[in-house]
């Protein structure tokens, strides 16, 4: 009898790394699934409602009213599987209703939220939301297969390079747009899984050698594309890489048979789909269509403006491919987009090097990689081309968003490490075979960066867009002055966050609110920028809480802070002081309008004085009079135009214009802060040049010469004039009263 030996079975490291990647992907996806608020992903109410309607009574409004669910135009497979999950999990979806919507969502004046989220939820709402979150997690679990298939596809390209295959799978798993769509209820996630499956099958196809195997594999690819069409129609462009694989790999007889069978199957599939009531087939039309969409597409292509349109559409596709969340209105920060696409650009020279490198008969592997690279590019070309055609057909660049391109993501994620490895080979050629240090940092850094984005975006970009305004202690509110704005609603105070703006900017202000009783009407907040003439020069009409916190959700006796950005129109009479006018609106303002706060609106283009700075007269140590002009207007009015420049922060002062006789007695005067009190000195920026004007009525006076004097003072002192001792008044000129009462101007300052 042999002695027993202790053996230790070790998990293969490669499998362990793949399992760790799957766990990381599921953990990050779960974070997204729980942090994205309900209904805040594109068409999620329709997607979930489509699955739920299979479990609802036939007369339920969700089944009979197409307005409640526009997603019924989609193929049914995804929704049938979700419905099966809802039934098996015993989820109760009775009483499902479309969420209350943010009515300002489509107008761009009230936040990013599509739906309103009451707090607390009713028992029915809480039950439906639990079912939705469970469905999100179930959908996320299925997408694990997409990571596996992407890994297998990359292994077909690099059988001996596990690191590159794992990199491709990790980029696919952590790509922000894929993470978002996989963590919510959307058929975009599962069609991405099918894209990964087909990418693996096509690259596997490129390794086959026997024609019989090629034929069977091609037919299997056709079947899977047909299944994918039952999930979402944008998988159908994967026919293009299949055709490319056939042309590259098989004999003409096999190609002819597969194309014949595939064409017949496609025609039969289209005919079957057209019989499904309400199913949308954009390029073939539906039953009852009178105008062939393909003819419209050709007409749009022939339009001279189509190249420019397609460039705009392609730019939108690129901008939205990395990450565009919510209802397509929450992009990643611009610097992340730029850095990410720079990494993508680095792969392009490497791919070109692989494709254009001279053929080497002794290296058949290189030739195979070329064929597989062509298939990957065909996958991207088919997906992007079909989306571009859809965008052109309907005349909207927004019909080519990144989520429509997700079936091509697996091919894209395999091409990236392929390009980076090719870049390393290209650099080695340039260095005459010497090793390139640090090239491994590129894929490693890309995966690490995507992991960081995946962990941070839910808590920053997404959560911050849907958070309710913060509650505050009433004792900490600045400018505390409670004002009743509507029944049961008080404005407690405010804080101006942009004390200085320019026309075409936005003035930002925090307003502090409190409801003293339950509110049963959803008011909007209307804020207007009011100029010194009392006219409005910019208005914001929005739901509170950036759209997330309507007044019916306000908690009683819980003061909170809300932030608003009010646009300042181009025609604001700058420079001048503006005020905010606020009211709550329900069809019309429900209370008297309340004015508060001040904002300085400056001139964007500075005024150039006609006189040099050396001719300026200095009042005090900071105020310069750069120019003045005077004229006599009928019947007996002296108009004085001044041009001031302030050299630093200056407290509020009053400007006086006095007309005095020979004895020093004032016979006419005007005293007020600059710009008729509408733009006090304390609002001016250092170096700012401000025009100012005054108007004095000259009474009947004896003939003689009268001095026109100017000075600046406040409650404490008069500003002395530099170089004139203690003098506080500058003589701007002389006004002569002629016999008979006629007025003429004498010598003027600066002239």
């Amino acid at each position: 009898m042999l002695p027993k030996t202790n053996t230790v079975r070790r998990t293969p490291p490669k499998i362990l790394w793949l399992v760790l990647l799957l766990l990381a992907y599921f953990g990050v996806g779960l974070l997204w699934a729980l942090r994205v608020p309900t209904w805040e992903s594109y068409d999620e109410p329709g997607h979930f409602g489509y699955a739920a309607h299979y479990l609802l009574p036939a007369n339920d409004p969700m089944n009979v009213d197409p307005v409640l669910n526009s997603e019924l135009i989609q193929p049914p497979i995804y929704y049938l599987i979700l419905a099966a999950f809802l039934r098996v999990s015993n989820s109760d979806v009775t009483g499902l209703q479309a969420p209350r919507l943010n009515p300002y969502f489509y107008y761009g004046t009230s936040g990013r939220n599509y739906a309103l989220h009451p707090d607390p939820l009713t028992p029915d709402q809480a039950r439906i939301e639990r079912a939705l979150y469970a469905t999100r997690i179930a959908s996320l679990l299925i997408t694990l297969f997409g990571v596996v298939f992407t890994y297998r596809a990359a292994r077909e390209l690099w059988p001996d390079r596990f690191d590159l295959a794992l990199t491709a799978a990790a980029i696919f798993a952590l790509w922000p747009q894929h993470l978002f769509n996989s963590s919510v209820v959307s058929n975009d996630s599962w069609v991405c899984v099918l894209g990964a499956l087909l990418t693996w099958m096509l690259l596997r196809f490129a390794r086959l050698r026997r024609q019989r195997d090629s034929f069977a594999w091609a037919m299997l690819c056709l079947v899977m594309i047909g299944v994918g069409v039952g999930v979402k129609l944008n998988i159908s462009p994967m026919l293009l890489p299949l055709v490319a694989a056939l042309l590259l790999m098989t004999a003409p007889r096999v190609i002819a048979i597969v194309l014949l069978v595939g064409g017949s199957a496609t025609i039969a599939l289209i005919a079957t789909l057209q019989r499904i009531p309400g199913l949308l087939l954009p390029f073939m039309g539906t039953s009852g269509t009178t105008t062939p969409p393909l003819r419209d597409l050709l007409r749009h292509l022939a339009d001279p403006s189509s190249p420019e349109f397609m460039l705009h559409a392609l730019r939108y596709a690129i901008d939205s491919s990395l990450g565009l969340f919510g209802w397509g209105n929450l992009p990643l920060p611009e610097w992340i987009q730029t850095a990410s696409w720079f990494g993508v650009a680095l792969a392009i020279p490497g791919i070109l090097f692989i494709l254009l490198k001279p053929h080497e008969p002794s290296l058949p592997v290189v030739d195979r990689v070329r064929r597989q690279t062509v298939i990957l590019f065909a996958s991207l070309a088919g997906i992007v081309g079909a989306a571009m055609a859809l965008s052109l057909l309907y005349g909207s660049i927004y019909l080519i968003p990144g989520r429509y391109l997700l079936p091509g993501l697996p091919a894209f994620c395999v091409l990236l490490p392929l390009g980076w490895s090719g870049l390393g080979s290209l650099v080695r050629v340039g260095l005459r075979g010497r090793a390139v240090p640090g090239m491994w940092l590129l894929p490693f850094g890309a995966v690490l960066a995507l992991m960081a984005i995946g962990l941070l975006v839910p808590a920053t970009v997404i959560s911050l867009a849907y958070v309710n305004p913060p509650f505050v202690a009433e004792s900490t509110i600045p400018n505390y002055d409670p004002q009743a704005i509507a029944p049961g609603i008080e404005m407690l105070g405010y804080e101006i966050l942009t004390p200085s703006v320019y026309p075409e900017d936005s003035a930002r202000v925090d307003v502090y609110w409190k409801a003293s009783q339950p509110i049963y009407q959803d008011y909007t907040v209307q804020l207007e920028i009011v100029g010194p003439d009392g006219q409005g020069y910019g208005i914001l009409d929005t739901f509170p809480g950036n759209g997330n916190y309507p007044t019916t959700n306000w908690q009683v006796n819980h003061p909170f802070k809300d932030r608003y950005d009010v646009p300042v129109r181009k025609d604001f009479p700058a420079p001048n002081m503006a005020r905010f006018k606020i009211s709550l609106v329900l069809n019309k303002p429900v209370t008297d309008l309340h004015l508060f706060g001040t904002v300085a609106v400056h001139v964007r283009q500075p005024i150039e004085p006609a006189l040099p700075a050396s001719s300026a007269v200095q009042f005090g140590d900071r105020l310069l009079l750069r120019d003045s002009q005077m004229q006599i207007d009928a019947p007996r009015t002296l108009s004085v135009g001044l041009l001031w420049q302030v050299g630093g922060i200056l407290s509020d002062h009053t400007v006086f214009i006095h007309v005095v006789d020979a004895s020093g007695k004032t016979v006419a005067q005007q005293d007020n802060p600059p710009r008729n009190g509408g733009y006090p000195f304390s609002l001016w920026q250092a170096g700012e040049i401000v025009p100012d004007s005054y108007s004095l009525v000259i009474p009947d006076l004896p003939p003689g010469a009268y001095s026109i004097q100017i000075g600046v003072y406040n409650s404490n002192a008069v500003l002395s004039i530099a170089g004139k001792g203690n003098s506080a008044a500058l003589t701007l000129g002389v006004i002569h009263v002629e016999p008979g009462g006629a007025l003429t101007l004498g010598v003027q300052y600066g002239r």
Side-chain angles (χ1 to χ4, degrees):
M1 186 177 203
L2 294 174
K4 293 183 178 180
T5 59
N6 293 326
T7 60
V8 178
R9 299 184 62 184
R10 296 182 178 179
T11 304
K14 294 179 181 180
I15 299 299
L16 178 61
W17 279 107
L18 182 60
V19 170
L20 289 175
L21 173 61
L22 291 172
L23 290 175
Y25 165 68
F26 181 75
V28 176
L30 188 62
L31 173 66
W32 286 61
L34 298 178
R35 292 301 294 266
V36 177
T38 54
W39 321 122
E40 294 297 348
S41 69
Y42 203 88
D43 285 334
E44 189 172 51
H47 291 304
F48 183 76
Y50 194 165
H53 99 285
Y54 288 111
L55 309 180
L56 297 172
N59 61 349
D60 189 277
M62 192 64 73
N63 282 331
V64 299
D65 188 350
V67 176
L68 293 179
N69 195 350
S70 59
E71 292 304 303
L72 294 175
I73 62 173
Q74 299 272 15
I77 291 180
Y78 172 73
Y79 308 100
L80 287 168
I81 296 174
L82 288 189
F85 165 76
L86 289 171
R87 188 179 296 278
V88 169
S89 63
N90 202 29
S91 297
D92 185 1
V93 293
T94 56
L96 174 65
Q97 296 180 348
R100 287 178 59 215
L101 305 183
N102 172 5
Y104 281 76
F105 174 75
Y106 293 105
Y107 299 96
T109 60
S110 186
R112 308 298 182 88
N113 59 304
Y114 170 77
L116 300 179
H117 304 281
D119 184 21
L121 300 174
T122 66
D124 283 346
Q125 290 170 333
R127 173 170 46 79
I128 295 298
E129 289 204 359
R130 285 194 298 270
L132 175 68
Y133 281 119
T135 308
R136 284 182 175 183
I137 296 170
S139 188
L140 176 65
L141 284 169
I142 297 296
T143 62
L144 290 169
F145 289 102
V147 181
V148 175
F149 290 138
T150 303
Y151 169 77
R152 291 302 307 162
R155 292 288 284 183
E156 294 296 333
L157 196 64
W158 304 290
D160 56 346
R161 290 295 304 272
F162 169 78
D163 56 331
L164 294 179
L166 190 68
T167 298
I171 293 173
F172 173 84
L174 299 172
W175 194 257
Q177 189 66 55
H178 173 244
L179 266 176
F180 177 76
N181 285 90
S182 297
S183 61
V184 298
V185 179
S186 169
N187 58 357
D188 289 309
S189 60
W190 284 18
V191 80
C192 191
V193 174
L194 289 166
L197 172 61
L198 284 165
T199 302
W200 166 63
M201 294 176 69
L202 291 167
L203 294 182
R204 177 71 174 171
F205 188 14
R207 292 173 60 87
L208 299 175
R209 296 184 179 181
R210 295 191 304 175
Q211 290 189 15
R212 185 171 60 183
D213 293 340
S214 297
F215 176 77
W217 206 253
M219 297 307 298
L220 184 58
C221 288
L222 275 175
V223 170
M224 292 312 303
I225 292 174
V227 172
V229 169
V231 175
K232 190 165 185 176
L233 298 175
N234 65 332
I235 197 67
S236 56
M238 292 298 287
L239 286 167
L240 181 61
L242 175 58
V243 171
L246 285 168
L247 295 175
L248 289 170
M249 297 300 302
T250 60
R253 185 176 63 179
V254 175
I255 296 173
I257 295 173
V258 173
L259 292 180
L260 179 62
V261 174
S264 302
T266 301
I267 293 172
L269 180 61
I270 292 173
T272 302
L273 292 175
Q274 283 183 313
R275 294 180 179 273
I276 300 177
L279 183 65
L280 178 64
L281 300 176
F283 300 110
M284 278 71 73
T286 57
S287 56
T289 300
T290 57
T291 303
L294 287 176
R295 183 185 299 172
D296 284 345
L297 177 59
L298 294 175
R299 179 171 54 83
H300 287 304
L301 278 171
D303 192 296
S305 64
S306 63
E308 182 180 0
F309 174 86
M310 288 190 288
L311 283 176
H312 285 299
L314 188 60
R315 174 62 187 270
Y316 176 70
I318 292 172
D319 290 344
S320 61
S321 290
L322 179 65
L324 191 63
F325 316 124
W327 281 64
N329 56 9
L330 276 178
L332 285 168
E334 186 66 29
W335 69 269
I336 293 180
Q337 298 265 11
T338 302
S340 300
W341 292 116
F342 176 75
V344 172
L346 288 177
I348 296 175
I351 294 174
L352 293 176
F353 175 74
I354 291 171
L355 290 174
L356 301 178
K357 187 178 180 181
H359 176 69
E360 299 181 35
S362 61
L363 295 175
V365 172
V366 174
D367 195 45
R368 172 184 58 77
V369 170
R370 285 194 183 118
R371 293 195 302 269
Q372 290 175 319
T373 304
V374 171
I375 292 171
L376 292 171
F377 269 112
S379 300
L380 291 179
I383 297 297
V384 175
M388 181 70 76
L390 182 70
S391 180
L392 193 62
L393 177 63
Y394 289 98
S396 172
I397 65 171
Y398 300 108
L399 289 176
I400 183 173
R403 64 190 184 92
Y404 280 10
L405 309 180
L406 284 176
L409 180 62
F412 175 80
C413 293
V414 174
L415 282 170
L416 277 183
L418 174 66
W420 293 333
S421 65
L423 178 64
S425 300
L426 177 62
V427 174
R428 279 196 300 273
V429 170
L431 296 177
R432 298 181 179 180
R434 284 179 292 175
V436 184
M439 286 300 295
W440 61 273
L441 287 174
L442 191 55
F444 178 77
V447 172
L448 196 63
L450 288 174
M451 175 63 80
I453 291 172
L455 291 173
L456 293 175
V457 164
T460 55
V461 175
I462 293 178
S463 291
L464 293 182
Y466 304 109
V467 68
N468 283 346
F471 293 132
V472 297
E474 198 161 342
S475 59
T476 64
I477 294 175
N479 298 302
Y480 185 77
D481 182 21
Q483 300 283 337
I485 303 296
I489 296 179
E490 287 182 307
M491 174 184 165
L492 300 178
Y494 66 90
E495 183 176 10
I496 307 297
L497 302 179
T498 52
S500 297
V501 297
Y502 294 90
E504 298 183 277
D505 285 346
S506 291
R508 175 170 291 183
V509 58
D510 284 342
V511 177
Y512 294 81
W513 298 101
K514 184 177 75 171
S516 58
Q517 64 187 41
I519 308 300
Y520 299 104
Q521 301 284 352
D522 275 333
Y523 300 109
T524 61
V525 177
Q526 189 174 94
L527 272 162
E528 190 170 12
I529 290 288
V530 178
D533 54 1
Q535 300 299 311
Y537 292 94
I539 193 168
L540 174 71
D541 194 2
T542 177
F543 263 10
N546 203 24
N548 291 289
Y549 200 42
T551 52
T552 52
N553 285 9
W554 289 12
Q555 295 188 30
V556 176
N557 291 324
H558 280 69
F560 68 92
K561 178 178 70 175
D562 202 10
R563 180 162 294 174
Y564 306 95
D565 290 303
V566 188
V568 181
R569 287 201 327 238
K570 182 178 181 180
D571 60 344
F572 185 93
N576 252 313
M577 179 180 67
R579 303 197 71 191
F580 291 100
K581 183 166 66 175
I582 192 168
S583 67
L584 293 180
V585 177
L586 189 65
N587 299 323
K588 61 180 181 179
V590 296
T591 61
D592 292 335
L593 302 176
H594 176 57
L595 286 169
F596 70 96
T598 58
V599 175
V601 184
H602 307 288
V603 175
R604 192 175 293 276
Q605 296 295 331
I607 300 170
E608 292 295 334
L611 298 178
S614 59
S615 300
V617 176
Q618 181 173 327
F619 291 81
D621 58 354
R622 297 179 185 176
L623 185 62
L624 297 176
L625 180 62
R626 294 295 304 271
D627 199 358
S628 71
Q629 293 181 353
M630 294 182 290
Q631 64 184 38
I632 300 295
D633 297 323
R636 299 180 65 81
T637 302
L638 173 66
S639 296
V640 180
L642 306 175
L643 201 60
W644 298 103
Q645 184 174 23
V646 65
I649 303 301
L650 185 66
S651 60
D652 286 338
H653 284 69
T654 298
V655 177
F656 69 79
I657 304 289
H658 290 177
V659 178
V660 299
D661 61 16
S663 67
K665 179 182 177 182
T666 300
V667 296
Q669 72 180 81
Q670 183 181 358
D671 293 40
N672 55 249
R675 296 188 67 81
N676 202 29
Y679 196 52
F681 284 116
S682 59
L683 299 180
W684 295 15
Q685 295 177 328
E688 185 175 8
I689 297 176
V690 177
D692 195 13
S693 61
Y694 299 82
S695 182
L696 290 78
V697 176
I698 306 299
D700 291 332
L701 297 172
Y706 297 83
S707 298
I708 305 168
Q709 297 183 347
I710 180 175
V712 182
Y713 67 93
N714 62 12
S715 58
N716 297 320
V718 179
L719 295 182
S720 60
I721 300 174
K724 294 186 178 293
N726 294 324
S727 175
L730 171 70
T731 299
L732 288 179
V734 177
I735 186 169
H736 296 282
V737 180
E738 306 293 343
L743 304 179
T744 59
L745 285 172
V747 177
Q748 300 182 38
Y749 155 73
R751 295 292 182 267

